[in-house]
Amino acid sequence: MPDTQRCTNLNQTDSTDVNALALGALGVVFGDIGTSPLYTLKVCFTGSMGIALTHANILGVLSLILWSLIVVVTIKYVGYIMLADNKGEGGIFVLLDKLTRHGKKIAGFPALFLAVLFGAAFLYGDGIITPAISVLSAVEGLRVATPLADPFVVPITCAVLLGLFLVQRRGTGSIGGVFGWVMAAWFIVIGLLGLVHIVQHPAVLAAVNPLHAAGFFVRNQIHGFIILGAVVLCVTGGEALYAAMGHFGRRPIRAAWLYLVLPCLLLNYFGQGAGLMLVPDIRSNPFYGLVPQAMLIPMVLLATMAAIIASQAMISGLFSLTRQAALLGFCPPIRIVQTCNVQTGQIYVPAVNWALMLGSIALVLVFQESNNLAAAYGLSVTATMVITSIVFFFVTRHVWGWPLWKSAGLLAFFLVFDLAFFGACLFKLAEGGWLTILIAVVCVAMMIAWRGRRTSLGRMFSGAPASLSLDAFLDELASAPVRRIPGAAVYMAASPKDAPVALVRSFRRDQTLHETVVILSMVVLDATQPPPDKLLELGGMDQGIVLLTVRHGAMERPGIPEIMAHARALGIGIRPEETTFYIGRTACPGTWVWPTPPGSREAVA
């Protein structure tokens, strides 16, 4: 049963609550980007495309890492992209939802609509690779401790991944409360390890000057550009940070990033650079090269725990992404478990969880080493980064009403980094990048196929809404002859503003309606909303149709018999033995169709 005791309201403004949420965010949101030091510099200086280990190249790579973290994560995602939320929820489908609410303005950009689908699909590919590369790179530290551990690296990695996915059902609030302390320890430890080596070789701080990044490209030319495909690994997790925003909120995430995560990451990266300048032999694994021999095994254990948590950021983000896809009609009805009675963003999606588990374990068995997975990893991350920047431009321009110079200027600034990273990753297409392309194509094909069952392709790619508004349906009734039949009918509606699909289709088929028609809409209360005056609201409508809106908390399970009893008390003439209930398969996340244990909620979206 999901743990609901540690959930917290993401919009509470008390500093103690923000601190608690920031700690939880460490354990859910920042694991992915927080474990990038395990493999980023190693990939830059080793492997088939590794750059020569020279003093100038070390400063150049460190300068690229520094300014990538500042521009891509701090300015782009934390500073701007996170502003585009929907009641605290983030993710690329949130950007799409904002645009589809302005359908007339994006009707001429069908390619944009398709790009959003590919952006989401690349995130699913990222979600399969992230657990595999994070845990595998951590467990590979055993090879540094003793070569005898080599045969056990892959089996241990698979066992760790299995345990990670098994605990997901407890909910991100519970997981974050436990994992947060581990990640806090992780960031402090890696920051201190880096600081010790920076003190020993402070010349590494010269990498703060961006001229070292520019000189890196001048010296290495095309090889320097290709290395961007490895440098981009330092910003993996930025998109997951945005997608998982609904689990903890904007303010706690920003606080955790600026005050702890970013400083500790920079200290460790610069410390690794100092270590490479002092002892070039640690290039095969510069992260563990910072660790004293006596601390290797404890550090491997801490890194493995951090890598487990790293996967949590992407897993949580994909849970949110899947719910958004279902609500927008891009995936079939799927079982969603609400794990928090206050914050509706904290959910668990079993089908996604098990699919990610099988995919991640399969990748570990096939690729065997983290360096082999890095090629597949970078392409999915950078493709999504490019698409997010472009879609965000349309949001700022057409939804927020920014002037063209401001929106275009910001887009150009972001794309300088995004396109450079994406172009560099294309060189690794044959080494593993093909895998993410394959996953993305399969996911997009499935989304289009499902969405195509409900609406024409033209409507789908124009961003036009698939549903019919209640007002439009009432206008249709007023202009057509209607034959009434005895009894009552209750139609479940996904939204109080939309006409149920079953009602529209039934009327258009035979031009008949029951004597009493009730449109029942279940609205889940957001913790940010003030409590309503009435939990059950009755609205009179034309053509003998009554709108009944039921508002309830995230973990509550309102029963239909009780709702109908209250409705009769309000004057609706409904007799149970004469009433037919119509529940569409894609109707709503407010229709509970699976039996649920006490304290949890499961929905069809």
Side-chain angles (χ1 to χ4, degrees), residues 292-311:
Q293 187 68 30
M295 294 179 58
L296 267 177
I297 297 300
M299 194 63 197
V300 169
L301 294 176
L302 179 60
T304 302
M305 288 189 289
I308 293 172
I309 299 167
S311 308

Side-chain angles (χ1 to χ4, degrees), residues 25-40:
L26 287 177
V28 172
V29 176
F30 291 107
D32 187 2
I33 198 169
T35 53
S36 295
L38 283 168
Y39 44 79
T40 300

Side-chain angles (χ1 to χ4, degrees), residues 248-433:
F248 292 95
R250 184 189 305 125
R251 184 179 172 191
I253 290 175
R254 283 179 170 173
W257 171 254
L258 293 173
Y259 298 134
L260 179 64
V261 178
L262 178 61
C264 290
L265 286 177
L266 292 177
L267 284 174
N268 189 262
Y269 281 123
F270 275 66
Q272 289 186 47
L276 287 169
M277 291 178 178
L278 293 169
V279 187
D281 290 343
I282 69 172
R283 67 184 296 174
S284 61
N285 204 318
F287 175 84
Y288 284 109
L290 303 184
V291 183
Q293 187 68 30
M295 294 179 58
L296 267 177
I297 297 300
M299 194 63 197
V300 169
L301 294 176
L302 179 60
T304 302
M305 288 189 289
I308 293 172
I309 299 167
S311 308
Q312 187 63 52
M314 184 55 67
I315 295 169
S316 303
L318 289 183
F319 287 166
S320 298
L321 191 71
T322 301
R323 179 168 67 176
Q324 294 161 12
L327 292 173
L328 290 173
F330 289 108
C331 82
I334 191 168
R335 182 182 175 205
I336 297 174
V337 181
Q338 187 75 44
T339 61
C340 177
N341 61 348
V342 175
Q343 174 47 25
T344 56
Q346 294 186 13
I347 58 174
Y348 165 61
V349 186
V352 173
N353 186 64
W354 304 131
L356 294 177
M357 182 190 74
L358 293 175
S360 296
I361 292 176
L363 288 183
V364 171
L365 295 175
V366 171
F367 284 86
Q368 298 286 311
E369 293 188 6
S370 59
N371 272 18
N372 297 334
L373 275 169
Y377 197 26
L379 189 60
S380 63
V381 172
T382 54
T384 307
M385 285 165 49
V386 171
I387 294 169
T388 297
S389 295
I390 294 172
V391 179
F392 184 69
F393 162 78
F394 282 90
V395 170
T396 60
R397 184 79 180 98
H398 296 302
V399 179
W400 294 351
W402 285 14
L404 180 60
W405 67 267
K406 184 177 180 181
S407 296
L410 191 65
L411 173 65
F413 179 56
F414 291 159
L415 287 184
V416 167
F417 285 78
D418 295 344
L419 289 177
F421 285 136
F422 179 68
C425 288
L426 289 177
F427 284 92
K428 300 187 291 183
L429 192 62
E431 295 184 27

Side-chain angles (χ1 to χ4, degrees), residues 542-567:
D542 296 332
Q543 314 297 329
I545 298 178
V546 176
L547 177 62
L548 185 62
T549 303
V550 180
R551 297 178 175 84
H552 59 89
M555 300 297 294
E556 295 176 338
R557 299 174 58 204
I560 297 298
E562 291 80 8
I563 292 173
M564 291 299 102
H566 285 295

